């Protein structure tokens, strides 16, 4: 398809465009505030769908709200009419369109234009009143508090939290883009919007069902967001991995990582080094245990212990060696020969004392997973020679 995107360089626009590039052989017409207006005239001649994402939310002058959110929308529709182009049009509005402030009024005016344009000309329209959107490529001190907090916390810059109990309604950029592509394909999701006294007559006139909606939203407090972000920062020292089965935590963690300073992508680990080699904890979680890297020098044997409940998995990724087992109460020794030339996981069952020996001429590297993070107060590790 030939797709026109206004606000192409913005937060939502960039994410949408990069996703569309992976969706097939679309022709993308990108228009932004610094584009020549003649480009818009040309794009509106043959575009087959319009994502109207351009808007103003932090102008220097209050009157620029109406100019950017109503005036430019009017210009866009004029060009579509002039070119007899009946392409469907999707516009991003804001939940503030329900409020009596200059920004909200300008957004509502833009919505009104789109609805009237669609009804008058029999053109399919999509209006999305977005709450706070967060995700990669958002701008700190501009797009959202989440972007600002991610940026500041990643750089040890203080943040200001006036009320930890403030409730935020957030949507993740990937969910927004996913819904927009569903609309492009004719599978949009529509849901009733909330009415306020300000917009009562407006909603009555255009109908609730006219609004598109994002299925997945996250209602969280400001304090929850801040606590999670600081835990992400601390995880580089604690080695704890966030609980990524939670959709919001996963999305927020991905967002936080996108704000890391470019010279701070890496962080050091504590290597426990002795004459036998080294042992280094990599990551750990309360739910999924701990991953560590073990390096054994040639001829070195490590282990000779067993566990009641803790279980492990060993994966030799470099070098050659043998993992030996002996069931408690038995004299039989079981050998498993391992090598980085043939990757295979060896389970370490409970109730078997075990060790691992480097049989090669160079260091042997083993990735070790344990079902629980090491707890000095309850190690569940008992020395016994194999």
């Amino acid at each position: 398809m030939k797709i026109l995107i206004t606000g192409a360089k913005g937060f939502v626009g960039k994410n949408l465009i990069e996703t569309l590039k992976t969706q097939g052989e679309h022709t993308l017409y990108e228009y932004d505030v610094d584009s020549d207006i003649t480009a818009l005239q040309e794009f509106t001649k043959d575009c087959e769908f319009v994502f109207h994402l351009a808007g103003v939310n932090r102008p220097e002058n209050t009157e620029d709200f109406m100019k950017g959110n109503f005036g430019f929308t009017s210009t866009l529709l004029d060009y579509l009419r002039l070119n007899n182009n009946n392409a469907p049009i999707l516009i991003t509005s804001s939940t503030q369109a329900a409020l009596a402030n200059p920004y909200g009024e300008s957004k509502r005016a833009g919505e009104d234009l789109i609805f009237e344009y669609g009804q008058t000309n029999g053109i399919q329209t999509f209006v999305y009143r977005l709450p706070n959107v967060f995700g990669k490529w958002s701008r700190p001190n501009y797009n959202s508090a989440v972007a600002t907090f991610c940026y500041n916390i990643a750089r040890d810059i203080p943040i200001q939290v006036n009320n930890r109990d403030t409730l935020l309604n957030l949507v993740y950029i990937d969910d927004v883009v996913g819904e927009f592509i569903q609309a492009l394909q004719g599978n949009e999701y529509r849901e009733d919007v909330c009415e306020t006294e300000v917009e009562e007559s407006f909603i009555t006139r255009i109908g609730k069902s006219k609004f598109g909606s994002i299925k997945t939203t996250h209602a969280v407090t400001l304090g929850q967001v801040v606590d999670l972000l600081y835990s992400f920062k601390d995880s580089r020292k604690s080695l704890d991995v966030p609980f990524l089965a939670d959709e919001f935590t996963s999305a927020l963690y991905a967002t936080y990582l996108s704000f890391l300073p470019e010279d701070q992508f890496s962080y050091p680990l504590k290597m426990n080094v002795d004459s036998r080699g080294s042992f280094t904890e990599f990551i750990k979680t309360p739910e999924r245990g701990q991953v560590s890297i073990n390096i054994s020098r040639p001829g070195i044997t490590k282990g000779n212990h067993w566990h009641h409940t803790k279980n492990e998995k060993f994966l030799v990724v470099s070098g050659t060696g043998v993992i030996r087992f002996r069931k408690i109460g038995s004299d039989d020794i079981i050998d498993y020969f391992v090598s980085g030339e043939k990757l295979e996981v060896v389970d370490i069952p409970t109730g078997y004392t075990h060790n691992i020996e480097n049989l090669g001429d160079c260091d042997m590297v083993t990735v070790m997973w344990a079902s629980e993070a090491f707890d000095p107060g309850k190690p569940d590790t008992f020395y016994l020679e194999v």
Side-chain angles (χ1 to χ4, degrees):
M1 294 182 67
K2 297 176 181 178
I3 303 171
L4 168 61
I5 305 102
T6 71
K9 294 180 181 178
F11 168 38
V12 177
K14 183 175 181 180
N15 277 274
L16 175 62
I17 287 170
E18 294 306 317
T19 301
L20 285 171
K21 288 178 180 178
T22 70
Q23 299 291 313
E25 298 299 323
H26 296 302
T27 299
L28 304 181
Y29 297 150
E30 302 178 25
Y31 187 87
D32 208 89
V33 65
D34 58 355
S35 301
D36 192 310
I37 193 65
T38 58
L40 189 64
Q41 296 171 357
E42 290 298 315
F43 294 159
T44 51
K45 287 181 179 179
D46 64 350
C47 64
E48 298 169 288
F49 196 98
V50 180
F51 286 104
H52 180 32
L53 313 179
V56 174
N57 61 356
R58 293 180 184 271
E60 293 183 3
N61 303 306
T62 302
E63 56 268 23
D64 288 336
F65 278 126
M66 194 62 71
K67 180 179 178 182
N69 296 324
F70 173 83
F72 179 68
T73 300
S74 180
T75 299
L76 171 63
L77 298 182
D78 285 343
Y79 283 134
L80 288 168
R81 288 192 192 96
L82 182 64
N83 291 310
N84 295 314
N85 190 334
N86 294 328
I89 182 168
L90 181 153
I91 183 175
T92 49
S93 185
S94 166
T95 52
Q96 291 211 27
L99 304 179
N101 59 48
Y103 176 61
E105 290 168 358
S106 69
K107 280 296 189 182
R108 196 162 59 251
E111 293 176 356
D112 207 358
L113 268 181
I114 294 293
F115 284 127
E116 181 182 4
Y117 171 76
Q119 292 169 355
T120 301
N121 301 283
I123 293 171
Q124 191 174 23
T125 59
F126 310 83
V127 176
Y128 286 83
R129 285 187 171 179
L130 298 178
N132 295 302
V133 185
F134 70 101
K136 65 183 181 303
W137 302 331
S138 52
R139 290 168 53 188
N141 303 305
Y142 184 81
N143 285 127
S144 72
V146 172
T148 304
F149 289 166
C150 286
Y151 181 89
N152 285 12
I153 290 172
R155 290 162 177 77
D156 295 317
I157 301 173
I159 62 172
Q160 181 176 345
V161 180
N162 295 324
N163 183 358
R164 286 178 52 86
D165 295 327
T166 299
L167 187 63
L168 304 177
N169 188 24
L170 302 174
V171 289
Y172 184 46
I173 187 61
D174 285 11
D175 293 322
V176 173
V177 170
E179 169 58 28
F180 286 1
I181 290 176
Q182 288 294 307
L184 176 69
Q185 298 170 345
N187 300 313
E188 75 278 4
Y189 175 66
R190 296 185 186 265
E191 186 178 55
D192 288 352
V193 299
C194 297
E195 293 184 38
T196 69
E197 184 177 345
V198 171
E199 63 170 355
E200 184 175 355
S201 61
F202 174 72
I203 294 295
T204 301
R205 177 161 49 84
I206 59 93
K208 293 181 180 181
S209 63
K210 296 294 185 181
F211 288 90
S213 185
I214 311 301
K215 284 184 180 180
T216 304
T217 60
H218 307 279
V220 294
T221 65
L222 184 60
Q224 288 174 311
V225 172
V226 170
D227 289 347
L228 276 173
L229 291 176
Y230 275 116
S231 75
F232 299 159
K233 182 178 180 63
D234 293 342
S235 69
R236 288 180 152 206
K237 295 179 180 178
S238 68
L239 306 183
D240 291 324
V241 175
F243 183 62
L244 301 180
D246 176 73
E247 281 189 85
F248 177 69
T249 302
S250 177
L252 188 65
Y253 185 54
T255 302
Y256 173 77
L257 291 179
S258 74
F259 280 91
L260 288 176
E262 293 185 353
D263 61 349
Q264 294 181 31
F265 287 177
S266 67
Y267 57 99
L269 296 174
K270 180 185 176 183
M271 296 181 65
N272 300 290
V273 181
D274 59 24
S275 59
R276 302 174 302 161
S278 66
F279 182 82
T280 306
E281 294 181 349
F282 175 25
I283 56 176
K284 55 186 177 181
T285 72
E287 307 86 11
R288 296 292 185 267
Q290 173 177 305
V291 177
S292 305
I293 308 299
N294 182 75
I295 299 177
S296 300
R297 306 227 181 266
I300 292 298
T301 299
K302 291 186 178 183
N304 285 316
H305 58 239
W306 64 279
H307 315 288
H308 279 296
T309 303
K310 181 192 298 184
N311 52 90
E312 299 168 299
K313 294 179 184 290
F314 289 2
L315 172 62
V316 171
V317 296
S318 180
T320 57
V322 60
I323 302 172
R324 299 188 181 92
F325 298 88
R326 181 171 62 81
K327 192 173 184 176
I328 303 302
S330 171
D331 295 329
D332 296 332
I333 296 177
I334 306 167
D335 294 333
Y336 275 82
F337 292 92
V338 289
S339 169
E341 297 298 319
K342 181 185 177 183
L343 297 185
E344 56 184 342
V345 175
V346 179
D347 273 315
I348 312 298
T350 55
Y352 284 82
T353 187
H354 53 275
N355 63 31
I356 182 169
E357 180 182 358
N358 184 349
L359 300 178
D361 299 324
C362 59
D363 288 353
M364 180 174 65
V365 181
T366 307
V367 178
M368 295 181 170
W369 171 83
S371 60
E372 57 190 51
F374 180 72
D375 179 359
K378 188 182 177 183
D380 188 11
T381 302
F382 307 95
Y383 178 80
L384 183 65
E385 291 278 351
V386 173

